[in-house]
Each structure stands twice: as structure tokens, then as C-alpha cells.
Amino acid sequence: MPGSLLVVIAYILLAVFLVVFVYRTYSIAKLPVHLRWELAPIPHEKGKSHYGGSYFEEFEWWTKPREKSLVNEATYMFQEILFLKSLWEHNRKLWWFSFPFHFGMYVLIAAGGLLVIGTVLSLLGVTDSALAGLGVVVGPVAAVGFVLGGIGAIGLLFKRMTDARLKAFTTPMGLFNLVLLLAVFATGIYSFLALDGFADNVSEFVGAVFTANTALATSGVLATHLVLALVFMAYLPFTQMMHFMAKYFTYHQVRWNDTPLQVGGKMEQEVQKLLQQPMTWSAPHINADGKKNWVDIATAEVGK
Amino acid sequence: MSATIRVEDIGKRKGEVLSPIGVEDLEPLPPPYDKIEEQPVWKELSDDVKGRTVWTLDGISALSLPQPTNEAEEKEYVDKFLAGLKKLLESENNWTFLQPLTLSLEYCVRCQTCNDACPTFTESGGKDIYRPTYRSEVWRRLVNKYVKPGGKIFSKFSDGDIDLNWTTISRLYELCYRCTMCRRCAQSCPIGVDNGLITHELRKLFSQELGWAPRELHEKGTVQHLQVGSSTGMNTEVVKDNIEFIDEDMQDVTGMDATTPWDEQDADMLLIHNAGEILAWPENPGAFAIILNAAGVKWTLASDEVAYDGVNYGLFYDDIQLARIALKHTATAKKLNVNKIVMGECGHQHKAMMTISDRILTGDMVVHKESAMTLLEEIVFSGKIKFDPSKNDFPVTMHDPCNIVRNLGIVEPQRRILRYLCPQFREMTPHGIDNYCCGGGSGFAVMSPNNFADWRISLGGRKKFRQILDAFADQPGPEVKKYVCAPCSNCKGQIRDTLNYYGALEKSGITYGGLVELIVNAMVDVKQPFIEWEMH
Ligand code: HEM
Ligand code: SF4
Ligand code: SF4
């Protein structure tokens, strides 16, 4: 593949990734404040989170200072993200594959990050021996990621096609996602094995992307891998694979959001605006006409 | 195991029962409840009910939904359902839950981790339709196919197929009343998807758009509550008469001051009971009065319509009805100028008042709200009342009401009381925030139409019954009297029905009651035992 084409493809796919990723995250973040729907355990409850207690356990809780432990929250999330703790606890059969699968991806993200940093630094003219060392480790680290991810993906595919419980709920897209990732991992490990200096080659490509260098020459194997990886990135934000982003909101904004309404606070202002919206639910007991807002409808004397 | 029921099957085989269920399908109970032939036979639906109503989900009719008489009527409902499906995802119609719902719509990874957390699914012997994900996936597919742009083309690939028709929506309506919204599944989900919330939202769709809701929760529930003053049907006079009678009776039995103050302006606390207590378990409000008076608290009940009944069934199916009732409760507290509202022993009242309505009551509608659990802990350990724990020297276990414990995180206060006052207190496994629902959650405890009582007790309450038996396994015989403490009216109703169903008082010596009864029973000044070993 001509280097110019590869670089152009990279720009397009990375742009799609960025735009859709940001858009989707923003569209969740900007949804209106919701009613409280917390769920124990809430790790920020200091001294109580180990058994799932909350500030409601305090006599006249509103007279006590609220003690929050953000460290507990962070620890909880760290274990969830890195080790998939709830999967370990509640669905171990899947964890044996899901963990290497996810961990492989994390390793790859880390390797990719290091590689980009290294490339940028050397473009800036930094020539340090540590940088050279980085180039040496990134390749094998990525290889570990490919292998772990590949084992996980094969296992998950197998599970999803054989386990009756999973099979009934597995969608064509779910299988496609796994196959696509497997292809990324497989071409990755193949490139690593087939090429002299895998990391240097990828670094060259990254450099070309940063400098718009269209004179890049990339071998067919590596180009296939890079295009597949980029396609995956561009495709990811359209799918439920964005669940890692969602998890931030389902935990911090829903399960752990136990902030009470404060008179005069920002939340109160937002709620007051939301209550002014007209509603159109059409069951007779609601008595909505498309003009009456939430306050009108909730305060109407009904059925007397 | 029976053949897999797939998600798309919900709209197929019109008129047939999709997934029949009977007592023989369920996980066996331990002895002496292990013989199916000795268990109550499930009620058969009459031909009349079968002809008139929808029962094609699992052979159960919880909702007596009438069968439409022609296709035009069916289509009308299907169209309305579709309109409601859209409204659930609009800010102006559903800002109240839009963010959590959108997250649960779009990010389930279909890993089925939640399945084993669900007591209904596991006790059913693994019936597909009771998976936490089954109902959710039906909804997800419907939204993705019929609401999302391009859905008719893409959703087969992204989600799998489904048909929107009368069969689908009528079975889905019943299926919304096979989940107690206990949210145990949500706790186990690695993504944070909430199948209990999806049940809640679907019930809202049916109620707020189609006007479909269980009679016990709507006509006899919130509507009666707003019109007459209480979901029990008691108006102000009746409730005052009943309380007066209870006060006198309690005074006679215990020799303690059980007077109830009414409508005391500027009282420290307005106590709101689930009014069901007053009719079904008068000793509960009686015990509250004895404790509060003995501790010298400045308290009051309110005689305003609605405000003497802490029930808010809107929580289970309808945001608007919920808000209407919450506003009435608040208005009375404001009028009386109390320092705080205290929730009686009622779980869903706790959740409706302390969290769900917290953010809709703005400005001068803000009132402090507290759980009876924390108030009672404060009183019991204040030294104002003398206790003799040996009076409670019998095996006691505790049921954790989902709404108080899993949802609100009020876990320890009630335990500290029991550990202090009940020498033979023992926990169920699991307990606290990992507890199992009693099976009466989300309104089920008051619903027994057609053959639904068999379903909700035999299947819905099965896990809890098993847990209760396990907790007392060291002294299983009827000669040792044992007490299940359930500090929630709805849970008590369900546990009562379960124990009666199996004759557990006669066979195992197990009865049940609230928390305040145990507190009063241990009071030194109460001469006679307060707890009666009978079923009521
Ligand atoms: C935040 C922490 C995360 C958790 C708790 C989590 C959890 C899960 C679970 C439970 C599954 C389903 C089981 C399975 O098929 O393995 C899954 C699948 C998957 N996850 Fe994650 N995940 C997380 C982060 C990520 C990240 C960062 C990515 C990378 C982009 C990712 C990509 C995937 C993919 C591709 C699948 C399977 C494909 C599919 O089912 O569509 N996950 N994840
Ligand atoms: S709800 Fe959660 S646990 Fe259940 S299948 Fe979906 S992602 Fe998995
Ligand atoms: S909320 Fe409870 S009853 Fe409903 S699906 Fe989840 S675990 Fe089962």
C-alpha cells in the first residue's frame, strides 16, 4: 500500500474516532439531572463502605458533615477496570477469557501510548538512551498484548457460540466485534514475528502521521494490521464497546450519586427548569394536554 | 431443561402460553417442605378468566389485562405502546430517569453476569423468560428497531430481531410484573446496567401512556390514596378511631403510655406509618407510641388526608402519581412545621421519600427525612429506656428490606439494636446489602389476583423462605418459637403469606413481625410479653 494512502486513511479514521467518541460521551454527560437512584455499596461513604452503609445511618444526618473518601472510590474503580472484579466475583467462567482479553487491550493501549510518546520525542530531536531502550521494550510488550487479547478473543468467541445462556443473547454484531479484534491481534502478532523491528516500523508510521510524511514505505503485513486497528478504533465509538465510558456514568452518576438537593444550589435550578417542561403522556389519569408542565400536573387536585 | 425461549419468541405463537410454569419446575425446598404433593396446589385459571384476560406469558395472570376484541383494538394499543417507547427517551417526558435509562439501553454487553443474582430466575429452575436480561433485551430490541433511525435495517445485526405486535406488548406487560425491582442484578453488573430500572421504566410506559397498571397499585392504590386519604380506604375519621382503639388496647396490655398525639404544631417529628400497619399489624404503631412516649420524644401523627399513610405506590409504576403523593406528604409536614418526617417501618416509603422525591421537592418544599431505624437506634442506646434482653431470648433473624438496605444503605442501625436486645440473633445468608428480596417487592405483596398469589409466594418468595429455614436450621422443630424480624410492611405481608402458605408456624415454629415489637418486648417496664406467638 502506498504510504500516502495509509496516512490519509489514518487521518480519516482517527478523526472519526475522536469526533464520535467525544460526541457520544458528551451526549451522555449533558443528559438532564435524574432522580436519585443510588445503589449500595457506595465506596465514598467513609467508614461505612465496607458493609455498604450510607450517611442515612446517622441520626439526623443533615446535621453531620458528609465525609467522602475519594480514595475508596478510586480503589474500587481501579480494581473494576484493571481486574474486572465484579466479573471475577459473579461470573468467573467468563472472567478467565474476558480478563486476558481486556488486559491484552490495556497492555496494547499502554504500548501504543509509549510508542507515540517516544516517536514525538525523537521528532522533537530528543536523543536519549532511555528513548532507545523504550523502542526495544515496546515491541515485546505489544506482543504480549496481542497474545493475551487473542487468547481471550478466541475463548470469548467459543463461549458465545457454545454456552446456551450466552448464545441466546449474543448478537451478530457481538461476534463481529470479537472477530474484528481477533484479526487486529492476529495481524499484530504476525507482524511482530515477521518484521525486523516491529516497534520501529510502527514508530515510523506514527512519525509519518505527525509530519504528514507521505513518502512512508510500509510492508503489506504491517499496513494490514495498522488499517485493521484504525478501522477498529473508528468503529468502536459507534458500538456498545464504549462501555468503559458508560461505566464512569453508571457508577459515578447513578449508583454512587447520593447528593441531596441543596436549596439555592445548581441542581435545584436545573430541576426547577426541568419541571417547567410540558409533558405529553396520554393516559387519562395524567391529564396532560401538551401545555401543562410537570408542576401543573403534579399539583392538580385529582379526581375529587 | 425445557427448550430455550429466545428473545424474539415473545412476539410469536399468539394465543399460546410462551413459557408455562408450575410448582414442579421450581428448585426443591428443604424438608419438611420438599414434597411437592404436600405443597398447596396452584390455582387453576377459570375458563372465564382464560377467555377474557391475557395469561399467555407463563400461564399466570397478575394483571387481568382484558383481551382486545378485534385487531383494530390491538393495533391501537400497539401504536400507543410505540408512542410511549419514544416518550421514555425524551427529556420533557422522562427527564427523571433519562440518563440511567439511556445508559442501560446502550451499554449492556450481554454477558449474563446478572442472571444468577436474580432470585426469581434461579428459583424458577432457570426459565429463560425470568432472566433479568430477557425483559430488558425485548425492550432494547424494540427501541433499536422501531425508534432508532435506520433501526429496521441495522437492528438485526446489532441486536437481533423482534416483532412489535399485540402478543409482544401484552406478554411484556405481564413480564414487567415478574420482577420485584430489587436491583440485586444491578449490583452484579460489571457495566452498571440496571435491569430493575428497566422494569420500572416499562411499567411507567404502560401506566403513563396506555393507562395499564395493576388495580391494587392504581385504582385501589394511588388513586384511592389521593381521593380518600389512604390506599387502605381509611379516611381521616376512621384512621383516628382505629388509632384511638389501638392506643387503649396497648395501654391495657402493657400498662405503658401509648397515647398518640395528633397534628401537634411544631413537633420535633412527624411520624408517618404505612397505614396498612394500622389495620393488619396494630401492635406496630402501638409499639412505636410506647417507645416514643417512654423516650420523651415530641412527636405527632398527622390527620390530613394522604399524610397519615406513608405508602407511595407511585414508586412502583408511575412518576406522576408518585409526585402527587410525595407533595401531599411534604405539604403536611410544612404546615405542621415539624423538624423532620420519620419513616415508619415501610421500605418503599423510605425510598420514595428519602431519595426518589428528594430532587423534585425544591425551595420551600424541602423537609428533613429520617429513617425509623436510626431514630430507634438513637433511642435504644440513649439510656432513656431500660431493657432486659433476656426477655427476647429466642432465635431471631432479620430480613433486610431491599428499599431500606440495598437502595438506601441503612444497614447497621437495626442490627445494632438486634445484637443488643436479642441474645439469639443470627444473620441470614447472604444478608445486608446482598440480601434477597422477600418476593413482595414492587407492590407484589398486595397483589393476589387470579393465580398470581401462587406465583409470588411459591416462586417470588421461595429464596427468602429458603433463607429463613436455613437461618433456623439449628433448631428446626416447632417446639422452639422463632421470629423473623422484617422492618417493612410490604415485606411483612409477603412473609406472612409465605409462612401461612407452608404452615411454617405449625411445622417449624416460625412467626414474624417488626422491629419495634422486639424493642417493646424487651422493655423492663412492660410487664407481660408483648410478642404473641401466633400468625396475624
Ligand atoms: C471499564 C472497564 C471494563 C469492564 C468492566 C468491561 C467489561 C466487559 C464485559 C463484562 C464484557 C462482556 C464479556 C465479554 O465478552 O468479555 C466486555 C466485552 C468487551 N469489552 Fe469490555 N470492559 C471494560 C473496558 C473495556 C475497554 C477499555 C475496551 C476497549 C476498547 C473494551 C472492549 C470490549 C470488547 C471489544 C468486548 C467484547 C465484544 C463485544 O461483546 O461486543 N472493554 N467488557
Ligand atoms: S445487564 Fe450487565 S450483567 Fe447483565 S448482561 Fe448486561 S452487561 Fe452483563
Ligand atoms: S431487579 Fe431483582 S427481581 Fe428484577 S430482574 Fe433484577 S434481580 Fe431479578
Side-chain angles (χ1 to χ4, degrees):
Chain A
M1 180 184 291
S4 52
L5 184 58
L6 188 59
V7 171
V8 172
I9 289 176
Y11 285 141
I12 296 172
L13 294 176
L14 287 171
V16 172
F17 169 74
L18 269 177
V19 169
V20 183
F21 187 101
V22 171
Y23 173 77
R24 199 133 179 238
T25 310
Y26 174 73
S27 63
I28 289 284
K30 75 164 203 318
L31 288 173
V33 59
H34 55 83
L35 302 192
R36 283 174 67 173
W37 195 249
E38 62 243 45
L39 184 67
I42 300 182
H44 63 229
E45 293 289 347
K46 225 179 188 168
K48 299 183 192 299
S49 63
H50 60 282
Y51 64 84
S54 76
Y55 62 82
F56 284 139
E57 290 192 332
E58 297 295 323
F59 177 69
E60 305 206 329
W61 57 268
W62 54 92
T63 60
K64 313 263 160 81
R66 277 192 68 199
E67 292 192 78
K68 277 180 132 185
S69 160
L70 295 180
V71 175
N72 282 0
E73 262 191 22
T75 317
Y76 191 105
M77 258 308 161
F78 180 79
Q79 293 175 337
E80 272 295 319
I81 295 173
L82 212 56
F83 303 119
L84 307 182
K85 187 161 175 248
S86 48
L87 207 60
W88 168 257
E89 278 169 7
H90 301 286
N91 196 353
R92 203 156 301 173
K93 281 194 299 207
L94 202 60
W95 184 90
W96 293 114
F97 295 115
S98 199
F99 174 70
F101 174 75
H102 282 92
F103 202 78
M105 280 191 289
Y106 299 155
V107 169
L108 286 170
I109 293 166
L114 287 177
L115 194 120
V116 169
I117 294 169
T119 310
V120 171
L121 287 177
S122 65
L123 284 177
L124 294 174
V126 182
T127 47
D128 194 276
S129 58
L131 211 58
L134 198 73
V136 179
V137 287
V138 163
V141 169
V144 170
F146 291 135
V147 172
L148 282 176
I151 293 172
I154 292 169
L156 287 174
L157 272 170
F158 178 74
K159 277 253 156 220
R160 291 214 167 257
M161 292 193 293
T162 55
D163 181 315
R165 182 186 285 197
L166 281 171
K167 204 169 141 190
F169 287 84
T170 295
T171 61
M173 188 169 169
L175 293 177
F176 174 80
N177 297 347
L178 286 169
V179 170
L180 177 59
L181 264 169
L182 184 59
V184 174
F185 300 142
T187 53
I189 195 73
Y190 184 74
S191 309
F192 175 76
L193 296 174
L195 299 176
D196 256 358
F198 168 75
D200 293 340
N201 281 301
V202 180
S203 177
E204 238 169 68
F205 162 73
V206 174
V209 170
F210 273 105
T211 56
N213 171 11
T214 49
L216 172 78
T218 309
S219 75
V221 193
L222 187 62
T224 312
H225 169 66
L226 292 173
V227 170
L228 278 173
L230 289 164
V231 165
F232 173 74
M233 277 179 76
Y235 166 70
L236 170 92
F238 290 97
T239 69
Q240 43 82 344
M241 287 188 282
M242 283 282 279
H243 51 258
F244 54 91
M245 175 278 287
K247 194 175 166 97
Y248 172 81
F249 292 98
T250 53
Y251 280 68
H252 293 271
Q253 288 300 326
V254 184
R255 285 176 66 155
W256 300 348
N257 183 339
D258 56 359
T259 314
L261 184 112
Q262 293 280 330
V263 179
K266 236 174 83 186
M267 185 195 287
E268 188 191 39
Q269 286 170 14
E270 188 184 347
V271 168
Q272 279 168 344
K273 264 200 217 122
L274 291 163
L275 289 168
Q276 294 305 320
Q277 302 180 101
M279 72 161 83
T280 62
W281 289 107
S282 65
H285 70 273
I286 310 265
N287 220 352
D289 57 6
K291 291 193 204 77
K292 284 190 237 168
N293 65 27
W294 282 70
V295 176
D296 303 331
I297 284 177
T299 52
E301 283 297 322
V302 277
K304 292 249 178 172
Chain B
M1 237 184 68
S2 42
T4 306
I5 308 281
R6 289 168 312 161
V7 177
E8 58 271 29
D9 293 341
I10 194 163
K12 295 182 178 156
R13 293 187 284 144
K14 184 175 182 179
E16 276 179 47
V17 176
L18 178 63
S19 176
I21 181 101
V23 67
E24 62 288 349
D25 298 314
L26 311 181
E27 291 296 322
L29 288 168
Y33 307 97
D34 50 339
K35 296 186 194 66
I36 291 184
E37 55 285 7
E38 289 176 14
Q39 286 178 26
V41 178
W42 286 25
K43 192 167 155 188
E44 274 280 325
L45 288 179
S46 67
D47 288 343
D48 173 50
V49 171
K50 283 186 179 175
R52 276 189 299 109
T53 70
V54 172
W55 55 289
T56 51
L57 175 71
D58 49 4
I60 309 292
S61 172
L63 304 156
S64 308
L65 178 68
Q67 279 286 358
T69 45
N70 54 47
E71 286 195 4
E73 206 184 317
E74 286 183 5
K75 184 170 178 314
E76 192 189 321
Y77 286 127
V78 171
D79 290 346
K80 275 196 178 168
F81 176 87
L82 183 56
L85 210 53
K86 293 179 182 146
K87 289 180 192 176
L88 273 187
L89 297 169
E90 293 167 353
S91 167
E92 57 275 31
N93 282 308
N94 201 28
W95 64 272
T96 47
F97 288 96
L98 188 57
Q99 190 182 50
L101 187 64
T102 307
L103 290 162
S104 288
L105 170 68
E106 295 184 351
Y107 298 101
C108 168
V109 293
R110 300 171 167 111
C111 62
Q112 311 308 315
T113 303
C114 50
N115 291 193
D116 286 336
C118 175
T120 312
F121 169 63
T122 52
E123 292 288 339
S124 74
K127 290 259 187 270
D128 292 309
I129 59 163
Y130 303 134
R131 288 183 198 285
T133 40
Y134 190 93
R135 177 186 314 101
S136 305
E137 198 64 19
V138 167
W139 165 70
R140 197 170 283 126
R141 286 190 188 184
L142 287 170
V143 172
N144 287 339
K145 180 167 173 185
Y146 294 96
V147 179
K148 291 269 166 86
K152 298 238 165 65
I153 304 161
F154 293 119
S155 71
K156 272 207 187 97
F157 171 67
S158 62
D159 299 84
D161 206 9
I162 191 123
D163 292 322
L164 175 58
N165 55 38
W166 166 257
T167 307
T168 305
I169 66 165
S170 57
R171 283 181 180 151
L172 182 61
Y173 177 46
E174 277 283 340
L175 191 53
C176 290
Y177 290 86
R178 298 294 184 279
C179 158
T180 61
M181 292 167 19
C182 72
R183 300 179 77 205
R184 204 170 184 277
C185 52
Q187 280 177 319
S188 71
C189 174
I191 309 298
V193 169
D194 191 334
N195 295 300
L197 172 75
I198 292 171
T199 300
H200 179 255
E201 298 298 292
L202 280 167
R203 288 184 180 191
K204 274 166 48 184
L205 185 172
F206 284 114
S207 176
Q208 295 173 188
E209 190 66 15
L210 291 90
W212 292 358
R215 211 175 104 79
E216 297 82 356
L217 302 186
H218 188 65
E219 284 92 346
K220 300 289 243 171
T222 56
V223 172
Q224 181 166 237
H225 197 169
L226 288 164
Q227 284 177 356
V228 181
S230 162
S231 56
T232 58
M234 286 189 289
N235 62 24
T236 298
E237 268 131 67
V238 176
V239 85
K240 282 183 114 168
D241 277 356
N242 282 343
I243 287 281
E244 196 184 328
F245 176 79
I246 294 172
D247 289 355
E248 284 167 14
D249 189 42
M250 290 295 137
Q251 223 137 303
D252 288 349
V253 172
T254 62
M256 305 289 293
D257 173 15
T259 332
T260 295
W262 283 100
D263 304 314
E264 291 285 330
Q265 200 67 27
D266 306 325
D268 183 48
M269 55 169 270
L270 166 63
L271 175 64
I272 308 187
H273 290 295
N274 175 321
E277 299 281 349
I278 297 165
L279 295 180
W281 302 284
E283 63 284 358
N284 185 282
F288 262 104
I290 292 170
I291 296 168
L292 295 175
N293 291 338
V297 176
K298 249 187 105 201
W299 67 291
T300 187
L301 294 193
S303 67
D304 285 357
E305 281 176 6
V306 184
Y308 51 82
D309 188 354
V311 162
N312 193 342
Y313 290 148
L315 177 70
F316 302 143
Y317 78 101
D318 193 301
D319 279 352
I320 289 90
Q321 295 293 83
L322 168 107
R324 286 171 175 161
I325 291 174
L327 282 165
K328 295 269 180 192
H329 286 144
T330 312
T332 296
K334 280 285 161 193
K335 188 182 91 182
L336 292 176
N337 193 34
V338 293
N339 173 32
K340 61 187 176 190
I341 303 180
V342 170
M343 316 295 119
E345 293 190 12
C346 173
H348 86 275
Q349 174 191 4
H350 273 73
K351 180 161 156 183
M353 279 198 209
M354 293 178 70
T355 57
I356 302 293
S357 59
D358 179 62
R359 291 179 183 165
I360 44 174
L361 299 170
T362 61
D364 56 5
M365 297 301 277
V366 175
V367 184
H368 299 309
K369 292 164 194 121
E370 177 165 57
S371 166
M373 306 297 120
T374 43
L375 174 77
L376 290 168
E377 182 190 20
E378 180 76 12
I379 292 175
V380 165
F381 291 99
S382 68
K384 288 183 186 149
I385 301 177
K386 271 217 227 104
F387 294 105
D388 173 7
S390 72
K391 293 172 104 180
N392 278 345
D393 196 10
F394 43 81
V396 174
T397 190
M398 177 148 69
H399 163 65
D400 287 297
C402 300
N403 285 318
I404 297 180
V405 182
R406 185 178 355 269
N407 284 292
L408 263 58
I410 303 172
V411 189
E412 276 294 312
Q414 59 272 39
R415 298 194 141 66
R416 284 193 280 261
I417 296 173
L418 291 190
R419 282 188 217 115
Y420 168 37
L421 295 182
C422 302
Q424 296 193 50
F425 171 62
R426 75 277 312 277
E427 294 280 11
M428 293 188 196
T429 318
H431 59 264
I433 61 165
D434 301 323
N435 77 316
Y436 282 105
C437 173
C438 59
S442 78
F444 286 4
V446 295
M447 290 170 58
S448 294
N450 308 314
N451 52 1
F452 185 62
D454 286 308
W455 188 93
R456 81 166 158 88
I457 297 168
S458 210
L459 173 48
R462 200 172 197 80
K463 189 71 101 186
K464 186 55 46 174
F465 187 49
R466 188 188 301 287
Q467 279 194 291
I468 292 172
L469 295 174
D470 281 351
F472 296 130
D474 56 333
Q475 289 150 302
E479 63 289 350
V480 181
K481 296 290 177 255
K482 313 169 196 67
Y483 189 97
V484 181
C485 172
C488 165
S489 298
N490 282 311
C491 303
K492 274 195 298 201
Q494 170 76 12
I495 290 172
R496 170 196 60 204
D497 294 353
T498 306
L499 297 178
N500 278 335
Y501 194 78
Y502 295 107
L505 179 61
E506 298 77 35
K507 290 196 187 121
S508 308
I510 303 173
T511 188
Y512 73 101
L515 177 62
V516 280
E517 292 88 325
L518 284 169
I519 297 176
V520 172
N521 200 55
M523 283 168 70
V524 170
D525 293 340
V526 173
K527 299 296 172 230
Q528 241 173 279
F530 188 74
I531 289 172
E532 294 165 358
W533 296 99
E534 58 188 32
M535 287 308 272
H536 35 204

